[in-house]
Amino acid sequence: MKNQPVHVAIAILYQENKFLMQLRDNIPGILYPGYWALFGGHIEPGETPNVAVKREILEEIGYELPPFVEFGCYTDERVVRHIFHAPLLVELNQLVLNEGWDMGLLTPEDIHQGNCYSQNAREVRPLGNTHRQIMLDFMERNQS
């Protein structure tokens, strides 16, 4: 019997030409431990992706999402990722990191090269492959 994939809601939050990402906790057993990834999380039973993304962002960084737009859905054997995007309308120091090792505004260059320095980890950490691909697709579709 095949396991059902987990459904998650994730937000691409952007400010000027940078993107807010979370350095995931370096805990064995979680997906992408110690990797940069997008904020978001599991959709609770009976919850819509839209409701889940607002709840997760509020829980993880204390940010009340402004109006947001659906970007797409990325599916693999384990996870169905519902992706949304919205502007980040506050300074980084106004956010409270409640989940994860670090957070930062990554540049398109960071995303293209697939890694970024973390102040908290005191080292360069990689981006999770799926999250990097989502960001590359997003940047490509939103080039002005």
Side-chain angles (χ1 to χ4, degrees):
M1 174 110 175
K2 227 176 92 177
N3 284 341
Q4 290 295 317
V6 175
H7 283 255
V8 297
I10 297 173
I12 297 170
L13 298 171
Y14 48 85
Q15 189 170 80
E16 283 150 9
N17 196 24
K18 293 181 179 164
F19 303 93
L20 184 68
M21 295 191 84
Q22 171 198 48
L23 184 61
R24 293 175 58 80
D25 287 311
N26 205 1
I27 305 169
I30 66 170
L31 211 51
Y32 293 127
Y35 283 74
W36 289 102
L38 294 162
F39 283 98
H42 289 89
I43 298 171
E44 304 292 339
E47 204 174 37
T48 64
N50 293 36
V51 170
V53 75
K54 286 182 80 155
R55 177 185 52 75
E56 283 287 342
I57 298 306
L58 196 57
E59 284 175 11
E60 292 185 356
I61 54 174
Y63 182 56
E64 186 79 49
L65 270 185
F68 56 92
V69 179
E70 190 165 348
F71 175 62
C73 198
Y74 286 69
T75 305
D76 60 37
E77 313 75 58
R78 292 187 296 184
V79 187
V80 177
R81 295 174 179 86
H82 302 267
I83 317 295
F84 300 90
H85 64 92
L88 180 62
L89 303 171
V90 299
E91 294 302 314
L92 206 52
N93 62 13
Q94 292 179 265
L95 300 174
V96 180
L97 184 65
N98 295 315
E99 196 173 298
W101 193 1
D102 200 357
M103 66 178 161
L105 288 166
L106 277 64
T107 64
E109 293 72 39
D110 294 330
I111 292 161
H112 279 286
Q113 68 190 27
N115 58 49
C116 183
Y117 182 79
S118 159
Q119 211 60 55
N120 291 0
R122 293 198 177 91
E123 62 184 5
V124 172
R125 302 295 309 184
L127 268 75
N129 287 336
T130 305
H131 292 257
R132 179 171 177 261
Q133 191 55 58
I134 291 166
M135 292 309 304
L136 291 171
D137 293 349
F138 182 78
M139 291 187 306
E140 193 176 301
R141 269 187 240 168
N142 292 279
Q143 278 175 339
S144 40

